[in-house]
Amino acid sequence: MKVTYYLEVISSWCHWAEPAWAELKSKYADRVDFQWKIALMRPEDYPVSREQCEWFYRRSGTIMRSAHMLNPGWMVKGKGESFDNPSLVAEAGKDFGVADDRIRLALARAAVIDGRKVAGMAESATIGAKASGIPVQKLKARASSAAVRARAEASTEEFFSHQIKQRPAFIIESAIGDKVVLSGLARAEPIAACIESMLSDAAAYKSYAAHFGSVPAK
């Protein structure tokens, strides 16, 4: 079984979903393959002002019963910076063998907790390098490359191909061809329920095959 988590690194809802992601990975580590992919946000998906961003953060923070409010200090307007840069740095880390959560979690925390200006590639690369041990100039160069940009755009198109638009999103696929698409959920319970059901069905198919063999050719 495979679970694919589509995210945008500085998305507040992806930040809220991280405890659920960690819980699921721990619980099903020996039975499920977990991977994450970038789903870049469009310019119109971002808040238009710090005040609007704070409003969104208050809403999500209260919904998640958070003891802290997120920090909108990362926002930069009119500076020619791309909010894609943190996601591109996280994606670039994979080319250095860092496909786990270290880089993207460090970047997310720097943005929505510490309010650092991660829109700048230099700032994002510095944070990513510290979290991973990758030399900062190498990470920055790779994150700025056309290849990494193309890969992030391809996974974003893949995200939209599921007919969804809310991040975080979780695509659960089993060996017997079942698939569940969950978009916009940030808690572990509904995702775990789907995984349990699909694991049970897959086990039933295996049991049936042990008793009756494969499908007859005729």
Side-chain angles (χ1 to χ4, degrees):
M1 180 172 292
K2 178 174 70 173
V3 178
T4 303
Y5 169 26
Y6 287 95
L7 61 97
E8 206 282 345
V9 167
I10 60 173
S11 160
S12 59
W13 278 109
C14 291
H15 166 78
W16 297 125
E18 291 301 338
W21 179 244
E23 178 182 336
L24 293 167
K25 289 203 304 176
S26 176
K27 184 175 182 178
Y28 298 104
D30 58 340
R31 291 180 287 170
V32 178
D33 175 35
F34 291 91
Q35 63 174 327
W36 59 268
K37 292 186 177 182
I38 294 297
L40 295 171
M41 289 169 61
R42 300 161 297 188
E44 61 268 27
D45 294 331
Y46 287 98
V48 299
S49 66
R50 181 175 178 129
E51 290 73 24
Q52 189 182 77
C53 187
E54 288 176 339
W55 187 92
F56 285 128
Y57 283 176
R58 289 190 181 97
R59 182 178 66 176
S60 66
T62 55
I63 290 171
M64 296 303 294
R65 306 296 193 269
S66 173
H68 65 273
M69 181 175 164
L70 301 186
N71 189 334
W74 56 268
M75 290 197 68
V76 178
K77 289 296 181 183
K79 300 294 185 181
E81 300 283 11
S82 169
F83 292 133
D84 294 347
N85 286 334
S87 292
L88 295 176
V89 168
E91 181 66 29
K94 295 177 179 179
D95 292 340
F96 297 92
V98 184
D100 58 25
D101 302 325
R102 279 176 288 165
I103 295 177
R104 61 179 192 80
L105 288 180
L107 285 161
R109 178 176 181 81
V112 302
I113 300 298
D114 301 331
R116 293 175 62 176
K117 306 297 186 184
V118 297
M121 178 59 82
E123 182 75 352
S124 280
T126 298
I127 294 165
K130 183 177 180 180
S132 64
I134 302 168
V136 63
Q137 290 304 321
K138 289 185 176 181
L139 183 59
K140 180 180 177 182
R142 191 60 186 165
S144 302
S145 70
V148 166
R149 164 67 70 173
R151 205 161 68 220
E153 290 180 350
S155 60
T156 300
E157 288 302 312
E158 188 179 289
F159 164 79
F160 284 120
S161 75
H162 291 289
Q163 303 300 306
I164 53 179
K165 61 181 181 179
Q166 297 297 335
R167 307 157 189 81
F170 302 90
I171 312 300
I172 312 170
E173 300 169 277
S174 76
I176 62 174
D178 292 341
K179 181 168 97 170
V180 171
V181 179
L182 299 169
S183 176
L185 300 183
R187 301 185 190 276
E189 293 83 359
I191 306 169
C194 291
I195 292 174
E196 291 286 354
S197 178
M198 294 171 74
L199 285 171
S200 177
D201 288 347
Y205 268 59
K206 186 175 181 180
S207 174
Y208 189 91
H211 286 79
F212 295 98
S214 57
V215 179
K218 295 183 180 179

